[in-house]
Amino acid sequence: MTGKITNAGRDAIRDFIQSEVAEIGVGTGTTDPTKTNSSLENEVESARKSVAEADAGTGETVFEITLSTSDANYDDVGAELTEVGTFDADGDLQARITHSGIRKTSDFEVEYRLSETVVNT
């Protein structure tokens, strides 16, 4: 017996995911993410931002934040930005990603765009 998620079901899952992500945080941690992570390894507390949501297509939700010229700068943080995570309204970590280092300075802004896609092919 086989089954499929319908287009309506796919969009309902997308809408649920979109409604659950409230904030994005960044940090300087470098260990590999695990399913048991409950926080970023070394979050830059002052850089957690409310997400701007944009439904980028069928089944896809894009979450965005922008770190301004005064947010999370290397001279203030003391390390390169190397991790990002999504948080729900209760502050619980939902997903964590590590990336190559960004030596953020007051000379530029950084935009994080995280995409989650529900596929029902």
Side-chain angles (χ1 to χ4, degrees):
M1 187 177 282
T2 62
K4 284 278 187 185
I5 295 175
T6 65
N7 290 343
R10 174 204 58 213
D11 292 343
I13 294 167
R14 177 206 60 213
D15 293 346
F16 174 75
I17 291 169
Q18 187 172 11
S19 72
E20 288 297 305
V21 175
E23 298 175 311
I24 293 176
V26 298
T28 60
T30 58
T31 61
D32 289 338
T34 69
K35 64 183 180 182
T36 59
N37 288 147
S38 59
S39 64
L40 293 179
E41 182 181 350
N42 192 25
E43 183 174 358
V44 178
E45 297 294 333
S46 62
R48 191 182 290 196
K49 305 276 186 183
S50 295
V51 298
E53 301 167 5
D55 184 2
T58 304
E60 181 182 24
T61 302
V62 178
F63 303 101
E64 302 173 359
I65 64 164
T66 299
L67 300 178
S68 73
T69 56
S70 62
D71 292 324
N73 290 319
Y74 182 85
D75 288 342
D76 300 327
V77 174
E80 293 182 341
L81 301 177
T82 53
E83 63 178 336
V84 60
T86 59
F87 296 86
D88 65 17
D90 294 327
D92 294 326
L93 181 69
Q94 294 180 325
R96 178 174 172 256
I97 302 164
T98 56
H99 57 78
S100 57
I102 299 171
R103 192 177 197 124
K104 170 82 175 57
T105 71
S106 61
D107 293 330
F108 60 94
E109 294 181 338
V110 172
E111 180 179 87
Y112 280 92
R113 293 175 49 91
L114 304 176
S115 171
E116 294 182 346
T117 304
V118 179
V119 178
N120 67 336
T121 57

